[in-house]
Amino acid sequence: MTYQPQSDFGTPAATSDAQITLTIDGRTVTVPAGTSVMRAAAEQGTSIPKLCATDSLSAFGSCRLCLVEIDGRRGTPASCTTPVEPGMVVHTQTPRLQKLRKGVMELYISDHPLDCLTCGANGDCELQDQAGAVGLRDVRYQPVETHLGQAKDQSNPYFDFDPSKCIVCSRCVRACDEVQGTLALTVQGRGFGSKISAGIASDNFLGSECVSCGACVQACPTATLIEKKVVEIGTPERAVVTTCAYCGVGCTFRAEMRGEQLVRMVPWKEGKANRGHSCVKGRFAWGYAQHQERILKPMIRGSISEPWREVSWDDALAYAASELTRISNKYGKQALGGITSSRCTNEETFLVQKFVRAGFGNNNVDTCARVCHSPTGYGLKTTFGTSAGTQDFDSVEDSDVILVIGANPTDGHPVFASRMKRRLRKGAKLIVIDPRRTDLVRSPHIEAQHHLALQPGTNVAVLTAMAHTIVTEGLVNEAFVKERCDWDEYQDWASFVSEARNSPEALEAITKVPAADLRAAARLYATGGNGAIYYGLGVTEHSQGSSTVMAIANLAMATGNIGRRGVGVNPLRGQNNVQGACDMGSFPHELAGYRHISDAATRALFEREWGVQLDSEPGLRIPNMLDAATDGVFKAIYIQGEDILQSDPNTHHVASGLEAMECVIVHDLFLNETANYAHIFLPGSTFLEKNGTFTNAERRIQPVRKVMTPLNGYEDWEVTQKLAQALGLDWNYTHPSQIMDEIARLTPSFAGVSFDRLDQEGSLQWPVNESAPDGSPIMHVDGFVRGKGKFVVTDYVPTDERTGPRFPLLLTTGRILSQYNVGAQTRRTDNVVWHEEDLLEIHPVDAENRGIKSGDWVRLSSRAGETTLRATVTERVAPGVVYTTFHHPLTQANVVTTDYSDWATNCPEYKVTAVQISPSNGPTEWQENYAKLQSSARRIAKAEAAE
Ligand code: SF4
Ligand code: SF4
Ligand code: SF4
Ligand code: FES
């Protein structure tokens, strides 16, 4: 589309069912009660001049530009703060109003630099537009005192703040408060002395509480807050709506372009997941797409000790096909496998699993969900009948009690966190179950009613103790259970949780959660109104991950918190398309739509469509592929968009598995850590260079649209197709929409999905089929997908990973807002200013016992390995617990994580590792060597780019 700014109705939409009819400039308009006169006018096509109003923020009424006249009323009220009334007669364009508005605007402009022609926002500035709209042609005043010439704050890597252009409309302050919920900005001083200030402790944005979400930049009607890229490249000429490729929130953006250059990503107001908001990653951290370290030409080598050789696409694909064929002939077809990517589109993921099943002739396909949310798939399928969260994000607006367990949404799922915080500021109650004091526990105007700081690894014990309280204190919603769940199974479960050994008091020694707190939290969840549970990897990445998911489902069913808005069980998915990767049949035992490979009827459907015979036996999971490789029976793997060496547990084991293979094909953007063991490297494309769809944590399927030509020449689905063709498969897709059509033909929950519908409707939440033609925002409304809800007894079984004299502390891991997963993308952006390295959080008591201060290098060692990193001493973690992130290959936190995994799904137990921390002189030898290698690789890449 050619460039059009997003429409702005001035004030938010009202939601009342009552309708009001009034007259504006002689035309009749009917709007919901509570609508402002400004919005009513905008909806009938009349634009009233405005500066301090915008429809993402509540009306403020400070600029006095939007004045109107209303019959029967004295004066000229501000239309943004005046609600409509029945029969009101409004005039928006009278000589009196024109004069008043011109006067107001003249005052603003008299204290504004008159440098429009050279201003970065020229042509994209509301102040400029409104000056034109009110007919201002000259400025008569020459104020003695002005704000001109004030110093710019250019500290933020992505946007500038030029106070000399500020009109103190406070849209930025309100955006930070209302939309983002960080409250980093204030208006300091009064009258002429008023100025916008970033925080109290700092005099610039970078040093303030600001988390660089960009909401203030988007809200600013002048060039005071402006993206550096707009200044550098110029204002955009066209916009393409697409979906963020970072996390499972799935924010939609307008990629605003000038020629082939991306100028900025602006959150799309109509995006149903983000409602016009974003975080720093989606809005700003896309520079990796053109990073000099991107590999754009295919490369091959005979062995991993040889240097890479650049070759043509044809040669690389022919070599890959010949190697795969040779290995299949020599070792048998079970010696091959593949890994799909949760960062790639549904269509690409579908093709990779099809390539393995139809091309290799086995089911050795797995995905990174193995290491994150596979227990969600297992647990929710078992209890409810479907492997996905139950709610849409809007649902949180109706929650009364929000229980967050094992998730850190302000860092991991920031835009959803902002929506959740908005609800909490309006009065919903909060329970946080987490070993660490996450930001959500206490943030501006929010304080958790209960923070249960449990011992890592005791989720099941805590949830069982909560269930004990609910059952033994008579707080079960029996009517719901009797109607919707299997009553016999409920009774078995109820008698299990009621046992004295499962009481909060009995389990306190294990969980370290005071029994009284736990009981109070359980009562609040059961009786506080609509109770919603949100959880993350702190639930799943445990040896009892699947049990924890089922324990959560049990709690929700017992309290009747399923099947309507405001309630539910909601996994906060990590990667942008991890839901989609699972939906598309990436697991070795399931075809698309979670249908077991052993089901003959389902197999027959796929066999007819694909023209091949499918293996009826489930294939190998990632850890089994690696084990089989070290055993010498698994020899070749195709890995699309996944750095298993960095993201999977026990790095040494992953390395020896990869090293034992004869053909490792890595298909990625960068030479990642896994590529150290690869024989063939196929360059990947970014989300900006491809068409397709992602499915977010709400089961929302959203379009990904190509905004620029792939630098490597091909979209990822094209590369997989070419590889399949080289292997002799007769694939002839010409557009990803054809792949989606095939998915829809083969997958009942996607039956009504097509690119055309997505273009028309923006997004669809599966299931989309005959019984839910418009999709399914809320699941299990009239009954569970599996029929009756299934209560499962979840006995607490302690992990085999125990602390002891050698390893007395428990390590748990997580993410930070500015970085993403293994950091391959975000480390190649300016986000590194916020997080240059992984740090180890340690409690002051544990630090003092070891003579460790903040900033010291420490050795982190476990039974699996050791690494070094710097320490930060903090009370965010409890005594006995340490915490770090895993974003930097130099730290490789997974060197220390163990092979223990979830009993049902093999999901690694990242969240509990017994470790010791001791002072260290600095990085280990391998880390130093690695750092040297990286810096020389960077130098070479820079030199090549300069040539
Ligand atoms: S920085 Fe922009 S949004 Fe904030 S008060 Fe100034 S002009 Fe308004
Ligand atoms: S970028 Fe976001 S967090 Fe920072 S000041 Fe602006 S609105 Fe607040
Ligand atoms: S919250 Fe997630 S989807 Fe949204 S902009 Fe941030 S990283 Fe992207
Ligand atoms: S837009 Fe109404 S007072 Fe500013």
Side-chain angles (χ1 to χ4, degrees):
M1 64 169 121
T2 50
Y3 188 77
Q4 286 285 338
Q6 300 192 67
S7 53
D8 186 346
F9 293 87
T11 60
T15 51
S16 171
D17 290 336
Q19 297 290 307
I20 304 261
T21 299
L22 67 159
T23 306
I24 300 177
D25 294 341
R27 288 163 63 198
T28 301
V29 58
T30 302
V31 291
T35 302
S36 69
V37 168
M38 173 179 276
R39 187 171 181 112
E43 286 187 5
Q44 68 147 35
T46 302
S47 152
I48 299 174
K50 63 181 176 55
L51 278 174
C52 68
T54 183
D55 59 13
S56 56
L57 304 171
S58 34
F60 192 57
S62 70
C63 74
R64 309 295 298 161
L65 201 65
C66 67
L67 309 177
V68 289
E69 291 184 75
I70 299 173
D71 285 0
R73 287 207 194 173
R74 287 172 47 201
T76 51
S79 62
C80 62
T81 49
T82 305
V84 292
E85 284 177 17
M88 205 178 224
V89 177
V90 180
H91 307 278
T92 73
Q93 294 292 338
T94 65
R96 181 183 174 205
L97 292 172
Q98 281 160 1
K99 193 169 169 210
L100 283 169
R101 287 183 192 142
K102 209 185 265 193
V104 169
M105 183 55 87
E106 197 172 355
L107 282 173
Y108 277 121
I109 298 297
S110 67
D111 189 10
H112 195 84
L114 298 175
D115 63 352
C116 286
L117 278 183
T118 52
C119 174
N122 187 21
D124 183 33
C125 168
E126 287 182 48
L127 185 68
Q128 193 182 43
D129 293 347
Q130 299 300 340
V134 302
L136 186 70
R137 297 290 170 258
D138 58 14
V139 176
R140 291 161 299 164
Y141 312 122
Q142 288 199 326
V144 184
E145 220 183 337
T146 68
H147 296 87
L148 305 179
Q150 294 183 68
K152 282 187 193 173
D153 172 2
Q154 296 184 307
S155 61
N156 187 287
Y158 297 116
F159 59 84
D160 292 341
F161 174 63
D162 180 356
S164 67
K165 295 188 168 169
C166 180
I167 58 170
V168 202
C169 64
S170 100
R171 272 165 65 161
C172 53
V173 179
R174 289 177 284 138
C176 194
D177 294 0
E178 292 177 29
V179 179
Q180 166 56 22
T182 294
L183 286 77
L185 302 179
T186 48
V187 184
Q188 280 190 352
R190 304 180 64 161
F192 181 82
S194 309
K195 62 171 193 175
I196 300 302
S197 169
I200 301 155
S202 156
D203 60 356
N204 67 34
F205 272 79
L206 190 62
S208 73
E209 296 295 305
C210 167
V211 293
S212 285
C213 72
C216 56
V217 182
Q218 190 175 346
C220 182
T222 67
T224 311
L225 283 160
I226 186 167
E227 296 94 343
K228 287 185 199 288
K229 281 283 178 195
V230 174
V231 177
E232 181 191 320
I233 300 173
T235 49
E237 298 165 332
R238 65 188 171 95
V240 181
V241 174
T242 190
T243 304
C244 180
Y246 277 117
C247 86
V249 175
C251 298
T252 45
F253 286 87
R254 279 161 47 109
E256 299 194 347
M257 310 288 296
R258 190 172 181 91
E260 272 290 288
Q261 279 188 293
L262 180 55
V263 177
R264 64 184 172 196
M265 296 285 273
V266 181
W268 193 39
K269 284 185 186 177
E270 289 166 50
K272 295 195 178 90
N274 55 323
R275 304 275 178 204
H277 189 36
S278 75
C279 80
V280 59
K281 295 189 286 290
R283 191 190 292 259
F284 294 124
W286 35 266
Y288 69 88
Q290 270 135 347
H291 196 276
Q292 61 201 15
E293 285 170 12
R294 243 187 96 179
I295 306 290
L296 302 175
K297 301 221 172 86
M299 301 189 296
I300 60 173
R301 57 183 174 180
S303 77
I304 61 168
S305 55
E306 289 175 24
W308 285 107
R309 260 186 317 122
E310 273 183 11
V311 291
S312 69
W313 273 104
D314 284 348
D315 288 351
L317 294 163
Y319 180 62
S322 73
E323 278 296 277
L324 294 170
T325 308
R326 175 185 71 77
I327 288 168
S328 181
N329 290 341
K330 183 170 174 190
Y331 299 100
K333 60 183 185 182
Q334 293 299 341
L336 294 84
I339 298 179
T340 72
S341 174
S342 295
R343 290 182 212 161
C344 288
T345 63
N346 286 319
E347 295 72 18
E348 288 162 345
T349 306
F350 184 82
L351 281 201
V352 172
Q353 63 86 36
K354 176 174 176 178
F355 176 64
V356 170
R357 298 187 205 274
F360 294 167
N362 64 42
N363 294 307
N364 293 337
V365 63
D366 208 354
T367 187
C368 70
R370 172 70 49 220
V371 298
C372 63
H373 268 289
S374 49
T376 290
Y378 181 90
L380 296 186
K381 178 121 195 238
T382 304
T383 49
F384 298 160
T386 196
S387 301
T390 63
Q391 310 298 115
D392 61 2
F393 290 148
D394 287 350
S395 163
V396 78
E397 284 156 24
D398 288 315
S399 298
D400 301 308
V401 180
I402 299 172
L403 192 163
V404 179
I405 171 168
N408 182 7
T410 46
D411 280 82
H413 303 85
V415 165
F416 177 65
S418 291
R419 298 186 67 180
M420 183 189 275
K421 289 200 309 192
R422 196 183 317 186
R423 176 67 199 130
L424 291 167
R425 288 198 302 274
K426 285 184 182 160
K429 304 280 192 298
L430 175 66
I431 301 165
V432 175
I433 305 179
D434 202 290
R436 193 162 161 263
R437 199 185 66 227
T438 57
D439 285 342
L440 206 53
V441 173
R442 190 174 301 130
S443 57
H445 303 299
I446 292 170
E447 174 131 28
Q449 274 62 36
H450 303 284
H451 172 210
L452 310 185
L454 76 177
Q455 181 77 346
T458 63
N459 284 330
V460 170
V462 166
L463 292 164
T464 305
M466 285 181 76
H468 175 97
T469 308
I470 290 166
V471 172
T472 57
E473 296 188 10
L475 307 178
V476 170
N477 183 340
E478 283 202 4
F480 179 91
V481 176
K482 277 192 176 133
E483 186 194 331
R484 303 280 304 269
C485 306
D486 185 308
W487 182 248
D488 291 340
E489 283 167 350
Y490 163 73
Q491 285 181 312
D492 291 345
W493 172 80
S495 67
F496 157 73
V497 298
S498 303
E499 292 172 23
R501 69 184 171 104
N502 287 325
S503 72
E505 291 73 17
L507 289 169
E508 186 173 321
I510 294 166
T511 63
K512 304 267 171 70
V513 177
D517 273 4
L518 194 147
R519 279 189 184 273
R523 288 178 198 129
L524 176 61
Y525 173 68
T527 64
N530 283 341
I533 302 180
Y534 293 88
Y535 71 88
L537 303 182
V539 157
T540 53
E541 290 178 341
H542 286 276
S543 61
Q544 280 206 289
S546 293
S547 306
T548 312
V549 174
M550 293 189 289
I552 287 171
N554 291 338
L555 272 193
M557 288 187 290
T559 51
N561 277 313
I562 284 286
R564 60 181 191 280
R565 276 176 65 92
V567 299
V569 173
N570 304 284
L572 292 171
R573 298 292 197 150
Q575 307 222 49
N576 54 321
N577 198 36
V578 66
Q579 178 70 54
C582 299
D583 301 342
M584 292 298 102
S586 295
F587 289 130
H589 64 294
E590 283 172 341
L591 289 159
Y594 305 98
R595 286 160 301 157
H596 206 277
I597 190 76
S598 62
D599 179 56
T602 307
R603 262 199 336 276
L605 193 68
F606 282 78
E607 286 171 346
R608 261 199 310 279
E609 177 84 30
W610 293 352
V612 294
Q613 188 86 17
L614 293 178
D615 187 347
S616 61
E617 287 295 314
L620 298 174
R621 299 168 172 179
I622 295 171
N624 309 127
M625 292 187 215
L626 294 166
D627 291 344
T630 48
D631 291 345
V633 293
F634 187 88
K635 293 290 183 182
I637 192 162
Y638 169 40
I639 307 174
Q640 184 179 72
E642 182 64 14
D643 189 0
I644 58 169
L645 194 82
Q646 225 195 136
S647 63
D648 284 36
N650 197 344
T651 309
H652 295 314
H653 180 60
V654 179
S656 44
L658 289 167
E659 203 167 4
M661 295 184 204
E662 293 181 12
C663 177
V664 174
I665 305 171
V666 167
H667 181 183
D668 217 311
L669 298 175
F670 301 102
L671 265 182
N672 59 22
E673 300 304 302
T674 306
N676 291 331
Y677 296 87
H679 307 86
I680 298 163
F681 185 90
L682 303 176
S685 49
T686 70
F687 77 112
L688 296 168
E689 300 162 330
K690 59 173 76 162
N691 287 304
T693 56
F694 292 150
T695 307
N696 77 352
E698 319 161 276
R699 297 167 277 103
R700 188 182 297 284
I701 307 154
Q702 309 193 99
V704 177
R705 296 194 179 91
K706 192 174 185 169
V707 302
M708 54 179 70
T709 311
L711 293 177
N712 60 328
Y714 296 110
E715 300 178 37
D716 290 335
W717 66 269
E718 293 178 285
V719 174
T720 308
Q721 167 155 287
K722 282 180 176 295
L723 187 55
Q725 287 166 339
L727 209 61
L729 295 168
D730 184 23
W731 291 7
N732 295 295
Y733 306 102
T734 55
H735 191 270
S737 59
Q738 297 161 350
I739 308 172
M740 178 53 85
D741 292 343
E742 181 173 320
I743 295 165
R745 282 195 298 277
L746 293 170
T747 317
S749 50
F750 276 65
V753 181
S754 68
F755 275 38
D756 282 348
R757 271 201 78 187
L758 289 168
D759 282 344
Q760 282 157 23
E761 297 178 39
S763 65
L764 289 163
Q765 283 176 276
W766 68 255
V768 191
N769 49 28
E770 258 182 27
S771 39
D774 297 324
S776 312
I778 311 282
M779 298 284 284
H780 318 296
V781 174
D782 300 316
F784 286 99
V785 169
R786 72 180 300 280
K788 292 282 183 188
K790 182 180 180 65
F791 280 87
V792 178
V793 169
T794 55
D795 228 333
Y796 168 65
V797 181
T799 167
D800 288 335
E801 178 70 354
R802 306 278 164 84
T803 53
R806 267 181 74 209
F807 301 109
L809 304 170
L810 283 178
L811 169 74
T812 186
T813 58
R815 307 185 167 168
I816 197 155
L817 170 69
S818 55
Q819 294 292 337
Y820 178 71
N821 211 355
V822 296
Q825 294 137 296
T826 43
R827 279 186 288 107
R828 292 179 171 97
T829 70
D830 287 332
N831 278 25
V832 287
V833 302
W834 292 286
H835 188 76
E836 275 184 289
E837 57 185 302
D838 293 319
L839 295 170
L840 183 96
E841 290 186 2
I842 182 167
H843 189 272
V845 172
D846 295 321
E848 194 178 336
N849 288 342
R850 290 164 176 78
I852 292 165
K853 299 185 296 306
S854 281
D856 286 356
W857 281 95
V858 292
R859 179 178 299 112
L860 165 65
S861 48
S862 76
R863 292 178 184 95
E866 69 173 49
T867 186
T868 57
L869 67 173
R870 268 187 253 261
T872 179
V873 179
T874 169
E875 289 184 353
R876 285 170 79 101
V877 287
V881 177
V882 291
Y883 167 89
T884 190
T885 49
F886 49 87
H887 300 306
H888 290 268
L890 191 56
T891 317
Q892 289 210 357
N894 285 332
V895 165
V896 301
T897 52
T898 68
D899 274 342
Y900 293 124
S901 63
D902 175 44
W903 62 270
T905 63
N906 271 157
C907 181
E909 189 173 43
Y910 286 131
K911 301 297 179 187
V912 192
T913 309
V915 295
Q916 178 58 292
I917 307 296
S918 48
S920 148
N921 291 330
T924 59
E925 199 179 323
W926 77 258
Q927 285 174 307
E928 275 183 347
N929 289 340
Y930 179 86
K932 278 184 206 149
L933 267 173
Q934 288 292 303
S935 81
S936 76
R938 262 190 211 111
R939 268 204 313 279
I940 293 166
K942 259 189 196 152
E944 281 175 0
E947 276 172 21

